[in-house]
Amino acid sequence: MKILVINGPNLARLDLRDSGIYGNATYPELVAFIEQSAVARGFTCEIRQSDTEAEIIGWLHEAADARTPVIFNPAAFTHYSYAIRDAAQMLTAPLIEVHLSNPMSREEFRHTSVISGVATGTIAGFGPNSYLLALEALQGLMKK
Ligand code: DQA
């Protein structure tokens, strides 16, 4: 089963962000962790990162057309991108929203997710393990 993992803006510079919130892993380390966890669960996964809304929207359209399940960390777009929400709403296979941190325990502007309402489910606050939990959730959904 093929899945697509999409990471949003600023995540490629993970090790340069607040380590108290995001830990010390580099983005390549995060990618390797997701890849290994996916393969161990029988998934073939493609992991993409973009800082631009338009590129992410294009990838969501692609996933919708191919009926590919998506694990998505929309990063800051989570909180305000209606265009990304509208694209996510058109997906044709499960969408798991993930966050490394727990946005609900952070600044108030992070308490709103415009994506959650169109996601199958959301996993947040477990660092890189948020992606692992998302893979396990997908595994369960695919068995149904
Ligand atoms: C994030 C949380 C967002 O609020 C933030 O803008 C990010 C990363 C996370 O993974 O914890 O860039 O999505």
Side-chain angles (χ1 to χ4, degrees), residues 27-75:
Y27 185 68
E29 284 166 353
L30 176 67
V31 167
F33 173 76
I34 299 168
E35 217 148 42
Q36 282 160 20
S37 308
V39 169
R41 283 160 186 77
F43 293 110
T44 306
C45 89
E46 200 178 320
I47 304 170
R48 301 181 188 170
Q49 189 278 329
S50 177
D51 293 329
T52 71
E53 211 171 12
E55 193 167 31
I56 291 173
I57 290 168
W59 292 342
L60 291 169
H61 292 169
E62 213 183 283
D65 292 344
R67 301 195 169 277
T68 306
V70 177
I71 293 176
F72 187 20
N73 184 343

Side-chain angles (χ1 to χ4, degrees), residues 81-136:
S81 176
Y82 299 125
I84 286 182
R85 178 200 162 97
D86 286 348
Q89 190 165 21
M90 288 187 279
L91 286 169
T92 47
L95 165 66
I96 316 286
E97 175 189 358
V98 301
H99 300 283
L100 292 158
S101 68
N102 176 5
M104 293 305 286
S105 67
R106 299 178 62 192
E107 305 94 318
E108 205 167 333
F109 75 89
R110 297 186 204 272
H111 296 183
T112 297
S113 168
V114 301
I115 308 300
S116 293
V118 296
T120 310
T122 301
I123 298 166
F126 300 99
N129 281 334
S130 292
Y131 292 83
L132 189 151
L133 293 168
L135 288 163
E136 291 190 342

